[in-house]
């Protein structure tokens, strides 16, 4: 066995051990949190789940965390984690119904993003893009290979139209899915600052400062969409105290205002 | 006008005829016989009209005859009374009837009559019974009436089923009876018809109830039968006629008690009996506005027909529709079974709601106490659905405690972590290296193929291929137009063209068939293929130059055969 093979085996062993240790520690912490919750120590369970969620995620982790927040009557964070859970496992009926109930308890109307066709969801964008790519270059290759051959003009026109039509459909599906993706990456869930109370309404301020009065208040758990700047990043203002403010608005744009980074939670990581 | 009793003297057990004779008219008189204490006149008189000649003079008369039955001994004087004949008012003269004590013969006859009546009453009679000698007002219990008919009595049909007499009770409709044959009673064999029914006491106090029925019996027409009563005369060969025989039961006296007012529950609505209560809902999870069927079942014995639906008050969370009644049990008595009340309730707000217990109170007639029952509550989860009303803050605060307690049942903890991922993010394909890598690979492949094809491009070969395609189309057209000469001409040209394609540099059009085949042989083609090509070329030349060569093969088969040969030339 030469040096190269030895180094390769060592690297593989390290990767396997790391993944094993990493996965087991996540499982262990999860079980600890479940035990803490079962024993009635909801705060401890919450802190374990939150700590765990900083490094890794699973649909059940976020569902449990959402349930826990609901039991602690923090409906905004409950809705946020249900949304995360559903992003990882969109078919979980229990999470869907629990989310509806949490939204009802928080007095939040169902977001449009929850009503989209799964075929055009943000997560389906990669499938649309892959299909489009395969068909596009596959078609070009076929044309390059077959055109000088025996195809007559009628057959060639028919195949070309079929190819172009399918490509157009895939492009449309991709565009629809991409639109949802753009909404999702801008979407945040409003949560109450703990000092204001578990379910205190979140103010959308006129200016990026705590002294500013507000345009409107939204209930915790409301879907808001961050404004983006020209470079595609969220429009942000950093105050003299280092607090970051973001301009957010409702999906229809009727309600808008500045909120701090503590007053919302992102569904996906940008 | 004259009046008389005929006979004027009778014994107490006999009857007399009171006759009114009107001379000179045949019109029916109008008037009423005065009543005399101790005498009973028949209601319908017999009439008799007659006309005759007496000494050559025509005479008419009209007779009215009433049967008179004495009720006691003595001398009875019927006073003069007025009656109207046509437009004339006449006076009926007074007359006297003497009633003597019954003779020995009368007494014997009366004893026989009594015995016959006794026999008659035993020939067919009604029995009526209930389970308890007293009832409570509004209580329903099961009753039974039996019609017993001596099997020697020639009954043709039951003309009228037993009907109740007595306003203090109401009964359910009598249906089909249960028939029993040859039931021995009183030393005779009877056919017995039994009806079961529900009897409900309507009025408090001492009440009497009896039943009567009418049978149709075939009797002999001869009323002077030596057997006496016509009902016991055996009719032969249908020479008798049918008569109605009324059969009754002995009246039954029942004490109907009022319900006690002490400790009467507030929700008591008149249910009397012994019941159990159960309730169910058809689904425990609905969307807002969807109906839920709440079925309340009361099972047992009692006055189901008089039982009102339980009062269901579900508060402001639900809208309750009127109940639908259904009874499953003894439909003839409505006394024992299961009474179902189905309510359609509509939740008015989303959340974890609870359908509260339904109370039912009833009076138990056996131990004479009131009993109250309640059904179990039903949790109901109401999802907001597509259209839902935003709950007001007041409603939320009111249901806060209830919802939180129920939420523990709803938000259940997963015990397994599931599949781990390192981050919740959706990669944008447009900013993915893999995506652009795939585009680059695709483009590279396309350009490579294009380059390869351009590099290997041979104008002479492409021209030949084009010619080959033109000839192939031409062959098809000749087949289509059945142009045999044109077909073989084009086929010969195509074979030579293919030979020039497989042998670049040679000029097959300038070669003879033998030279062409030698060229192809030099290229390594099999002898079989060369033989087939040789045959084809020979046929083509025969058609082109010799003309008139008869070939029975169809052009289509020739085309397919030649194409399969030409394809091998590559």
């Amino acid at each position: 066995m030469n040096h190269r093979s030895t180094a390769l085996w060592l690297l593989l062993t390290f990767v396997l051990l790391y993944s094993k240790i990493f996965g087991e520690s996540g499982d262990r912490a999860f079980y600890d949190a479940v035990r803490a919750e079962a024993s009635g120590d909801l705060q401890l369970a919450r802190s374990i789940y939150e700590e765990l969620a900083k490094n890794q995620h699973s649909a059940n982790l976020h569902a449990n965390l959402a349930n826990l927040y609901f039991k602690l009557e923090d409906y905004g964070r409950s809705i946020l984690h249900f949304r995360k859970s559903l992003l990882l496992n969109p078919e979980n009926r229990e999470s869907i119904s629990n989310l509806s109930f949490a939204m009802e308890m928080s007095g939040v109307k169902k977001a449009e993003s929850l009503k989209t066709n799964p075929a055009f969801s943000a997560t389906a964008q990669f499938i649309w893009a892959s299909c489009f790519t395969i068909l596009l270059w596959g078609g070009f290759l076929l044309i390059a290979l077959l055109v000088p051959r025996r195809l007559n003009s009628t057959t060639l026109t028919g195949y070309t139209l079929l190819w172009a039509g399918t490509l157009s459909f895939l492009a449309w599906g991709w565009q629809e899915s991409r639109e949802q993706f753009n909404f999702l990456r801008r979407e945040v869930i409003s949560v109450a600052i703990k000092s204001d109370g578990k379910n205190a309404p979140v103010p959308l301020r006129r200016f990026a400062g705590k002294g500013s009065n507000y345009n409107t208040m939204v209930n915790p758990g409301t879907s808001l969409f961050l404004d983006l700047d020209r470079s595609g990043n969220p429009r942000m203002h950093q105050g003299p105290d280092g607090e970051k403010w973001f301009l957010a608005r409702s999906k229809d744009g009727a309600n808008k205002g500045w909120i701090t980074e503590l007053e919302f939670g992102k569904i996906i990581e940008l | 006008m004259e009046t008389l009793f005929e006979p004027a003297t009778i014994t107490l057990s006999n009857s007399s005829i009171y006759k009114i004779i009107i001379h000179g008219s045949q019109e029916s008189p109008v008037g009423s016989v005065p009543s005399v204490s101790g005498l009973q006149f028949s209601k319908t008189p017999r009439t008799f009209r007659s006309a005759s000649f007496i000494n050559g003079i025509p005479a008419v008369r009209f007779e009215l005859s009433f049967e008179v039955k004495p009720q006691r001994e003595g001398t009875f004087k019927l006073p003069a009374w007025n009656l109207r004949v046509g437009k004339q008012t006449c006076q009926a003269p007074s007359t006297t009837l003497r009633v003597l004590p019954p003779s020995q013969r009368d007494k014997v006859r009366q004893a026989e009559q009594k015995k016959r009546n006794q026999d008659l009453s035993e020939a067919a009679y009604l029995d009526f019974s209930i389970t308890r000698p007293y009832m409570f007002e509004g209580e329903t219990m099961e009753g039974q009436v039996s019609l017993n008919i001596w099997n020697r009595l020639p009954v043709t049909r039951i003309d009228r089923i037993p009907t109740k007499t007595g306003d203090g009770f109401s009964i359910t409709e009598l249906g089909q009876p249960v028939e029993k044959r040859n039931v021995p009673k009183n030393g005779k064999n009877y056919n017995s018809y039994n009806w079961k029914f529900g009897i409900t006491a309507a009025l408090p106090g001492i009440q009497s109830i009896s039943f009567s029925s009418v049978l149709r019996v075939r009797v002999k027409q001869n009323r002077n039968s030596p057997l006496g009563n016509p009902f016991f005369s055996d009719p032969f060969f249908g020479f008798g006629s049918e008569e109605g025989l009324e059969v009754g039961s002995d009246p039954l006296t029942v004490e109907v008690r009022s319900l006690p007012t002490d400790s009467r529950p507030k929700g008591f609505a008149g249910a009397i009996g012994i019941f159990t209560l159960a309730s169910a809902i058809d689904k425990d999870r609905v969307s807002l506005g969807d109906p839920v069927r709440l079925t309340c079942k009361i099972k047992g014995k009692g006055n189901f027909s008089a039982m009102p639906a339980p009062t269901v008050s579900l508060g402001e969370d639900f809208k309750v529709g009127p109940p639908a009644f259904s009874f499953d049990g003894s439909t003839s008595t409505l006394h024992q079974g299961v009474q179902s009340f189905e309510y359609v309730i509509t939740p008015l707000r989303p959340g974890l709601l609870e359908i509260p217990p339904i109370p039912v109170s009833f009076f138990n007639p056996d131990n004479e106490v009131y009993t109250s029952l309640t059904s179990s509550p039903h949790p109901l989860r109401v999802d907001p659905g597509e259209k839902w009303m935003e709950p007001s803050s007041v409603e939320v605060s009111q249901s806060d405690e209830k919802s939180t307690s129920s939420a523990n049942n709803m938000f259940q903890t997963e015990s397994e972590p599931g599949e781990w991922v390192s981050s919740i993010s959706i990669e944008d394909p447009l900013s993915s290296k893999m995506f652009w890598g795939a585009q680059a690979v695709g483009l590279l492949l396309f350009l490579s193929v294009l380059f390869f094809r351009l590099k290997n491009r041979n104008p002479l070969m492409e021209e030949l291929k084009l010619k080959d395609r033109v000839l192939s189309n031409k062959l098809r057209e000749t087949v289509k137009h059945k142009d045999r000469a044109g077909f073989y001409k084009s086929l010969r040209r195509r074979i030579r063209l293919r030979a020039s394609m497989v042998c670049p540099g040679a000029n097959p059009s300038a070669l003879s068939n033998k030279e062409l085949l030698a060229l192809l042989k030099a290229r390594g083609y099999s002898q079989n293929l060369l033989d087939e090509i040789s045959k084809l070329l020979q046929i083509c030349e025969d058609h082109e130059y010799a003309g008139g060569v008869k070939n029975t093969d169809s052009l289509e088969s020739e085309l397919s055969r030649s194409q399969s040969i030409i394809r091998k030339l590559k």
Side-chain angles (χ1 to χ4, degrees), chain B residues 223-240:
Chain B
R223 290 183 180 275
N224 299 320
S225 163
L227 290 172
N229 195 299
F231 295 113
F232 299 106
S233 306
D234 206 2
F236 296 100
F237 307 109
F239 288 114

Side-chain angles (χ1 to χ4, degrees), chain B residues 208-399:
Chain B
S208 176
I209 181 170
S210 61
F211 284 83
S212 64
S213 176
V214 174
L215 306 177
R216 211 71 191 160
V217 182
R218 185 169 288 280
V219 296
K220 267 190 172 180
Q221 285 178 338
N222 181 11
R223 290 183 180 275
N224 299 320
S225 163
L227 290 172
N229 195 299
F231 295 113
F232 299 106
S233 306
D234 206 2
F236 296 100
F237 307 109
F239 288 114
S241 65
E242 284 186 353
E243 285 202 11
L245 173 64
E246 184 161 352
V247 182
S249 72
D250 293 332
L252 184 69
T253 304
V254 181
E255 181 192 359
V256 180
R257 300 174 183 174
S258 297
L259 291 174
T261 52
D262 298 339
S263 66
R264 180 181 290 184
K266 279 186 181 177
F268 177 72
I272 303 171
I274 302 168
F275 304 107
T276 57
L277 174 66
S279 68
I281 54 176
D282 62 342
K283 43 198 165 189
D284 56 4
R285 182 174 178 177
V286 292
S287 293
L288 184 64
D290 287 351
V292 180
R293 293 183 193 283
L294 169 65
T295 309
C296 183
K297 290 187 175 178
I298 298 176
K299 185 180 178 184
K301 289 181 179 178
N303 56 346
F304 286 108
S305 58
M307 184 184 292
T311 307
V312 176
S313 55
L314 303 181
E316 294 178 353
D317 289 345
F318 298 96
K319 187 176 80 177
V320 186
F325 291 66
S326 67
F327 181 76
D328 183 17
S330 168
T331 51
S332 60
T333 63
L334 296 176
H335 171 253
Q336 184 171 4
V338 181
Q339 175 80 55
S340 298
F341 303 97
E342 188 180 278
Y343 301 84
V344 175
I345 62 175
T346 312
L348 297 177
R349 72 172 186 87
L352 286 172
L353 308 180
E354 185 179 86
I355 297 172
I358 298 166
V360 170
S361 297
F362 62 87
F363 178 73
N364 186 337
D366 288 349
N367 51 18
E368 301 184 15
V369 291
Y370 289 99
T371 307
S372 293
L373 300 174
T374 50
S375 65
S376 52
H378 300 287
L380 178 67
R381 179 171 164 180
V382 182
D383 294 328
E386 287 299 321
K387 293 179 180 177
W388 59 289
M389 291 184 297
E390 194 167 3
S392 66
S393 58
V394 177
E395 286 172 338
V396 169
S397 64
Q398 282 174 348
S399 61

Side-chain angles (χ1 to χ4, degrees), chain B residues 154-200:
Chain B
V155 175
T156 54
R157 66 178 185 273
I158 299 170
D159 214 15
R160 193 186 75 205
I161 62 169
T163 51
K164 176 205 68 160
T165 306
D167 297 332
F169 303 90
S170 64
I171 62 167
T172 56
E173 192 178 347
L174 301 186
Q176 287 297 317
V178 178
E179 186 178 347
K180 288 180 188 172
R181 293 197 171 270
N182 297 322
V183 180
K185 282 181 183 175
N186 306 324
K188 299 186 178 85
N189 283 333
Y190 289 86
N191 293 333
S192 177
Y193 301 87
N194 298 304
W195 286 268
K196 284 188 176 178
F197 54 89
I199 176 168
T200 304

Side-chain angles (χ1 to χ4, degrees), chain A residues 27 31 57-58 64 97 178, chain B residues 285 414 416-417 420-421 428:
Chain A
D27 285 357
Y31 295 137
H57 308 268
S58 79
N64 279 6
S97 57
R178 184 162 182 74
Chain B
R285 182 174 178 177
E414 294 288 345
E416 292 296 327
W420 292 107
V421 293
D428 183 5

Side-chain angles (χ1 to χ4, degrees), chain A residues 23-31 34 49 52 56-64 88, chain B residues 414-421:
Chain A
E24 281 188 354
S25 69
D27 285 357
R28 201 180 307 123
F30 183 89
Y31 295 137
V34 171
Y49 281 135
L52 199 52
Q56 50 191 342
H57 308 268
S58 79
N60 288 352
L61 166 69
H62 284 287
N64 279 6
L88 293 168
Chain B
E414 294 288 345
S415 55
E416 292 296 327
E419 191 183 345
W420 292 107
V421 293

Side-chain angles (χ1 to χ4, degrees), chain A residues 150-163:
Chain A
R150 295 180 181 179
L151 294 175
N152 59 33
S153 58
T154 315
T155 314
L156 186 65
T157 310
Y159 280 127
T160 308
L161 282 176
L162 181 67
W163 176 64

Side-chain angles (χ1 to χ4, degrees), chain A residues 205-213 237 243 245 258 260:
Chain A
R205 291 188 172 81
R206 291 181 183 170
F207 302 103
K210 283 198 173 167
S212 167
N213 55 5
H237 172 78
E243 200 167 30
W245 290 82
W258 292 89
T260 69

